[in-house]
């Protein structure tokens, strides 16, 4: 490796890039990393973490409303201090960024603050500085995109939302995926009038259809005006907000219009064409099972590869890359049975195959499920129902998938993910005693298939 500034240079200081840097350094590699914005990437700085903190803030309104049924005399109106929440949230993000920087410093990783691009074989340009490296890892993630319609520049992306210093009272959110569903619950819980607009027939494409239908119903019951099969055609600024023109001929007047209808792999202006790194038709970097690109000296992990776009996946891909290239332990991670959760209100979570996916792959599938009123809603009289569902291969009795819509669904799905990853059978779940009274116990009490 003589003649190079670094054994490994990482482009992108998000979760995947930071993990890869630290593990490669622990294997003895000389490592450098460049980040154009802030260490921590989308998840820590402008995604999972700040968004979930805002979700926690938004849940108090419902708790106050439910308190009466449990004997508490709490009188409204409930007033939320948006600037105070933002200040507390941003202080925590600053702390976490410092944690990431400290991890890299202690690992001996050289950190470069600036935008990086490839400048030919083994060469990286960071601002005006040329750096050389034997191996390069690209971990630049993905970024939100705006649609090509008049007035799109007035839309706030999911990145922009974290810069709002004043709480909006009228919000429209475009999209039907994770981000749109999560922010519709956040803004609604914080007291805004929320309209969620989705061009598809139902939200959360790719999830189990029954889960999608159930969550859509629950979101609507929480006060969000959810409209599917509709598109925004144009946006105009007004003296007190903006006018949003819809494909059905109607118009919305809002303070904030958020676009959450897709993200694009951050591969533009990286200089990939100068080093023979190929991308697919949506700009995602093509990689093999070991995250190697079409150039054998360049690798890529995380959302920039568009495999499974979740933070824990990026972290494991980065770790496996470092073990493979610098640790002498070649390994590829599995992208099957990856648990995922939507921090909507209520939450939705899944692991494994949906009913439709299972029936396309297995000849004899059994479905076990239940929809019920959770205990928390009994005394509060909240109009809420939970959903649990198991998808089972009847021939082997193996559980193929688990799906849930309920409070704390994300916490529940983690344990089920371990079981399904380990090949749990339905009989094993039947033989397991439940923790009573809980929502999670319902998964081990399902006896009769539909």
């Amino acid at each position: 490796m003589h003649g190079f500034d670094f054994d490994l240079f990482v482009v992108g200081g998000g979760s995947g890039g930071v993990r890869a840097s630290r593990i490669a350094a622990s294997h003895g590699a000389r490592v450098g990393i460049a980040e154009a914005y802030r260490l921590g990437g989308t998840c820590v700085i402008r995604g999972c973490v700040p968004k979930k903190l805002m979700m926690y803030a938004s849940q108090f309104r419902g708790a106050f409303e439910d308190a009466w049924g449990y004997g508490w005399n709490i009188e409204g109106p409930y007033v939320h201090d948006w600037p105070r929440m933002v200040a507390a949230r941003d202080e925590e993000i600053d702390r976490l960024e410092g944690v990431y920087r400290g991890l890299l410093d202690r690992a001996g990783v050289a950190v470069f603050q600036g935008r990086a691009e490839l400048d030919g074989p083994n060469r990286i340009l960071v601002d005006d500085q040329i750096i050389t490296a034997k191996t390069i890892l690209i971990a630049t993630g993905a970024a939100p995109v705006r649609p090509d319609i008049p007035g799109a520049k007035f839309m706030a992306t999911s990145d922009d939302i974290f810069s709002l210093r004043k709480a909006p009272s009228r919000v429209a959110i475009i999209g039907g995926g994770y981000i749109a569903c999560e922010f519709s619950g956040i803004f609604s819980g914080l007291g805004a009038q929320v309209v969620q607009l989705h061009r598809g027939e139902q939200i959360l494409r790719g999830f189990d259809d029954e889960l999608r239908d159930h969550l859509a119903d629950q979101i609507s019951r929480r006060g969000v005006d959810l409209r599917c099969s509709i598109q925004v055609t144009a946006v105009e600024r007004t003296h007190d907000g903006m006018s949003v023109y819809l494909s059905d001929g109607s118009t919305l007047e809002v303070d904030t219009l958020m676009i959450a209808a897709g993200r694009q792999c951050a591969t533009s202006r990286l200089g990939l064409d100068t080093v023979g790194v190929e991308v697919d038709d949506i700009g995602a970097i093509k990689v093999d099972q070991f995250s190697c690109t079409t150039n054998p000296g360049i690798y890529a992990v995380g959302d920039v590869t568009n495999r499974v776009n979740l933070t824990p996946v990026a972290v494991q891909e980065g770790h496996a890359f470092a073990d493979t290239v610098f640790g002498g332990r070649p390994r590829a991670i599995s992208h099957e049975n990856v648990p995922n959760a939507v921090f909507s209100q209520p939450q939705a979570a899944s692991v494994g195959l949906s009913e439709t996916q299972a029936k396309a792959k297995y000849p004899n599938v059994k479905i076990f499920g239940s929809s019920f009123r959770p205990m928390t809603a009994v005394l509060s009289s909240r109009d809420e129902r939970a959903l649990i569902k198991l998808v089972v291969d009847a021939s082997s009795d193996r559980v193929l998938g688990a799906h849930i819509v309920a409070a704390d669904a994300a916490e529940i799905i983690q344990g089920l993910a371990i079981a399904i990853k380990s090949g749990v059978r339905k009989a094993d779940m039947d033989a397991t005693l439940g923790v009573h009274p809980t929502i999670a116990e319902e998964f081990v009490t399902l006896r009769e298939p539909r």
Side-chain angles (χ1 to χ4, degrees):
M1 302 226 181
H2 296 295
F4 295 104
D5 298 323
F6 294 99
D7 303 329
L8 169 67
F9 197 87
V10 179
V11 180
S15 299
V18 168
R19 174 62 69 88
S21 300
R22 292 172 52 217
I23 300 304
S26 74
H27 290 314
R30 298 170 300 149
V31 183
I33 186 171
E35 171 55 46
Y37 182 48
R38 300 179 67 180
L39 289 172
T42 294
C43 182
V44 173
I45 304 300
R46 52 189 179 271
C48 324
V49 175
K51 182 177 58 180
K52 193 171 184 184
L53 292 173
M54 292 176 72
M55 182 207 76
Y56 286 142
S58 69
Q59 289 182 319
F60 282 96
R61 184 183 185 90
F64 294 150
E65 293 171 351
D66 292 346
W68 176 264
Y70 285 89
W72 290 95
N73 294 321
I74 299 178
E75 297 182 0
Y78 314 113
V79 180
H80 179 256
D81 189 332
W82 177 277
R84 186 147 52 96
M85 176 200 71
V86 168
R89 181 201 68 197
D90 291 352
E91 182 179 355
E92 173 62 8
I93 300 311
D94 291 343
R95 185 190 71 83
L96 290 174
E97 184 184 14
V99 169
Y100 269 63
R101 187 171 296 277
L103 290 171
L104 291 171
D105 288 345
R106 287 191 292 275
V109 176
V111 178
F112 294 79
Q113 188 69 47
R115 184 185 172 278
E117 63 179 286
L118 305 186
D119 189 50
N122 305 104
R123 288 164 55 92
I124 308 99
L125 178 65
V126 181
D127 292 337
D128 296 325
Q129 181 180 2
I130 291 291
I131 299 168
T132 61
K134 176 68 174 179
T135 302
I136 297 170
L137 175 68
I138 300 171
T140 48
V145 294
R146 292 182 174 89
D148 184 16
I149 62 171
K153 64 182 180 181
F154 301 126
M155 298 177 179
T157 68
S158 55
D159 290 354
D160 301 326
I161 288 298
F162 299 113
S163 299
L164 290 179
R165 298 300 157 180
K166 180 181 178 182
S169 59
R170 303 169 300 168
V171 180
I173 300 174
I174 305 172
Y178 289 77
I179 298 172
C181 292
E182 290 170 344
F183 272 106
S184 68
I186 288 170
F187 282 117
S188 178
L190 292 175
Q193 295 178 350
V194 179
V195 181
Q196 184 177 346
L197 308 164
H198 181 43
R199 64 184 179 183
E201 294 182 0
Q202 189 54 281
I203 59 173
L204 293 183
R205 180 170 60 88
F207 280 74
D208 183 84
D209 289 339
E210 189 174 358
L211 178 149
R212 299 169 70 196
D213 293 341
H214 189 92
L215 182 62
D217 175 69
Q218 295 300 300
I219 286 175
S220 298
R221 290 173 188 262
R222 292 281 184 117
V224 174
D225 182 0
L226 176 60
R227 308 183 194 180
C228 293
S229 301
I230 196 167
Q231 297 190 58
V232 173
T233 58
V235 184
E236 287 183 355
R237 275 285 192 192
T238 63
H239 70 282
D240 64 345
M242 60 191 75
S243 297
V244 182
Y245 298 94
L246 306 179
S247 55
D248 64 359
S250 63
T251 305
L252 293 174
E253 301 297 328
V254 301
D255 305 312
T256 298
L257 174 62
M258 178 181 175
I259 176 65
R263 295 173 66 83
Q264 187 172 41
C265 296
T267 52
S268 65
R269 297 171 54 216
L270 274 180
L272 300 181
D273 55 334
T274 69
V275 290
V277 172
E278 296 180 5
V279 299
D280 63 17
D281 55 356
I282 63 169
I285 295 178
K286 297 179 180 179
V287 292
D288 64 14
Q289 62 178 330
F290 297 106
S291 296
C292 187
T293 72
T294 48
N295 180 323
I298 300 176
Y299 294 73
V301 298
D303 291 5
V304 76
T305 67
N306 196 38
R307 285 178 284 184
V308 177
N309 298 336
L310 296 169
T311 298
V313 174
V315 169
Q316 287 301 308
E317 288 173 354
H319 198 135
F321 151 78
D323 285 345
T324 298
V325 178
F326 297 99
R329 300 198 302 269
R331 66 185 184 92
I333 74 164
S334 170
H335 292 91
E336 294 184 354
N337 291 325
V338 175
N340 52 74
V342 184
F343 291 100
S344 49
Q345 299 186 37
Q347 297 175 19
S350 290
V351 62
L353 301 181
S354 68
E355 179 176 346
T356 300
Q357 291 168 336
K359 288 181 176 178
K361 189 174 182 179
Y362 295 89
N364 189 4
V365 172
K366 288 184 178 180
I367 304 298
F368 299 80
S370 175
S371 174
F372 55 94
R373 191 178 191 183
M375 183 177 287
T376 55
V378 174
L379 296 187
S380 67
S381 299
R382 179 176 289 278
D383 186 12
E384 181 178 315
R385 294 191 69 79
L387 170 75
I388 64 166
K389 181 174 182 177
L390 288 176
V391 180
V392 178
D393 174 22
S395 300
S396 65
D397 198 40
R398 188 163 63 91
V399 180
L400 304 174
H403 312 276
I404 178 171
V405 176
D408 297 320
E411 302 289 350
I412 295 170
I413 208 68
Q414 185 67 79
L416 289 168
I418 297 171
I420 290 176
K421 191 78 172 179
S422 301
V424 68
R425 297 173 302 128
K426 180 63 170 61
D428 298 323
M429 298 188 71
D430 293 343
T432 301
L433 296 179
V435 178
H436 184 74
T438 64
I439 290 174
E441 73 172 317
E442 299 294 332
F443 278 106
V444 298
T445 61
L446 298 172
R447 292 292 183 267
E448 296 299 323
R450 293 178 184 169

